[in-house]
Amino acid sequence: MKNFKLKRVWAEASLLKGTVIKITAKDKLHHLNTVLKIRFGESIRLFNESDGEWLGLIQEKNNKAIVIKIKEQLRQPKSGNNIAIAFAPIKHDRLRFLIEKCTEIGATKFIPVITERTVTRNINLTKLHTYAVGAAEQSERLSIPDIKDSILLKSFLEQYNADHILFCNERSDSKFINEALQKFPRNCRLIILIGPEGGFSVQERDSLASHNNIHPVSLGENILRAETAAIFALTCAISITKK
């Protein structure tokens, strides 16, 4: 049974009863020693998407290495939804908020998409991964979202296949997102596409409209900022596609 008082850490290594994990990477040592302040002899929870969640015991701890012995399984791995967030990159603090909150809610993939009006074009994928890991650790989910390299909108439309892509359109004449979602099968492969601050260009809108699996949807009467739009659309998608 899970003990929510135990500290929780994502593990890249395979988790199996009786195995010993030795951590030597500086960033992970810093996180365990300085941020989580783990102690020798302490029990912690380790998890990943492939192996589920396990109880581990700290057997060795110093500034150069931490050794953890895997004791018992607490949760089996399980399949989740298949909902990706494709977004035009935004400024750092707001982008971190988007990654963290959408990870907590349940996004399985993030795809930075460069559009004509995208202002922020250089993003640090390593930092985004770190934000996603931290959000997964505190939200009790077992998986870490996949964070893809930036891609031009044209290439995104050519390369990414999904059962449905929801193009979040600030124009009010589009169907409300919940109405569109009601018609999709449960647990379908879904991508939510969030545009840049200035919206998509006319040419980009025409390109989006030419794809049969892309559906323009409204998020309501108000114009939402990118991070708000992503959180709202993802919440709607998970609440409806899980029914």
Side-chain angles (χ1 to χ4, degrees):
M1 181 179 293
K2 288 184 294 182
N3 184 339
F4 292 102
K5 294 182 180 179
L6 295 180
K7 293 160 187 174
R8 189 169 187 264
V9 178
W10 175 62
E12 296 179 75
S14 296
L15 302 174
L16 186 66
K17 185 175 181 178
T19 58
V20 174
I21 298 175
K22 186 175 183 179
I23 299 172
T24 57
K26 289 184 178 180
D27 58 335
K28 294 189 180 300
L29 288 175
H30 172 78
H31 179 66
L32 289 167
N33 284 327
T34 306
V35 179
L36 294 182
K37 301 183 185 302
I38 63 164
R39 302 183 300 274
F40 173 77
E42 182 178 6
S43 293
I44 65 170
R45 291 183 288 151
L46 300 101
F47 71 96
N48 61 42
E49 185 174 12
S50 300
D51 305 312
E53 185 168 84
W54 292 74
L55 184 68
L57 181 68
I58 307 297
Q59 292 193 318
E60 181 181 333
K61 175 190 176 298
N62 54 55
N63 292 329
K64 294 185 178 180
I66 291 174
V67 177
I68 306 171
K69 185 173 183 178
I70 307 303
K71 304 292 288 183
E72 62 178 296
Q73 190 172 48
L74 302 175
R75 276 200 288 172
Q76 295 278 350
K78 65 177 182 179
S79 58
N81 61 67
N82 195 341
I83 305 177
I85 302 292
F87 62 94
I90 51 181
K91 291 182 179 179
H92 176 263
D93 288 343
R94 293 169 53 209
L95 179 54
R96 177 173 185 168
F97 188 82
L98 185 156
I99 296 294
E100 289 180 341
K101 300 313 168 188
C102 287
T103 296
E104 292 172 22
I105 296 168
T108 53
K109 185 183 298 181
F110 293 102
I111 310 165
V113 177
I114 306 301
T115 69
E116 289 184 25
R117 296 172 179 168
T118 299
V119 176
T120 303
R121 295 182 176 239
N122 296 319
I123 57 177
N124 188 322
L125 296 179
T126 300
K127 282 189 176 181
L128 297 191
H129 176 74
T130 300
Y131 302 152
V133 169
E137 288 176 342
Q138 71 84 32
S139 63
E140 295 293 325
R141 66 179 286 176
L142 293 174
S143 62
I144 305 298
D146 187 13
I147 300 180
K148 298 296 186 180
D149 291 328
S150 299
I151 188 171
L152 294 174
L153 178 62
K154 181 176 183 296
S155 299
F156 164 79
L157 296 176
E158 294 171 349
Q159 295 179 27
Y160 279 92
N161 294 317
D163 296 323
H164 302 283
I165 296 177
L166 291 179
F167 150 41
C168 296
N169 186 1
E170 65 268 22
R171 295 181 180 177
S172 59
D173 56 352
S174 300
K175 290 182 180 179
F176 186 64
I177 184 171
N178 284 6
E179 184 180 350
L181 286 165
Q182 293 284 0
K183 299 178 180 179
F184 299 162
R186 181 180 177 183
N187 291 332
C188 63
R189 294 179 304 151
L190 182 65
I191 296 178
I192 296 169
L193 176 60
I194 307 293
E197 295 295 300
F200 292 101
S201 69
V202 174
Q203 293 80 6
E204 288 172 335
R205 290 180 181 277
D206 291 341
S207 179
L208 290 166
S210 68
H211 291 74
N212 292 330
N213 68 330
I214 297 182
H215 315 274
V217 295
S218 168
L219 301 182
E221 295 182 359
N222 297 338
I223 303 299
L224 306 181
R225 297 181 77 163
E227 65 273 30
T228 310
I231 292 166
F232 178 76
L234 177 61
T235 302
C236 291
I238 287 181
S239 65
I240 290 179
T241 57
K242 283 293 183 183
K243 289 182 178 179

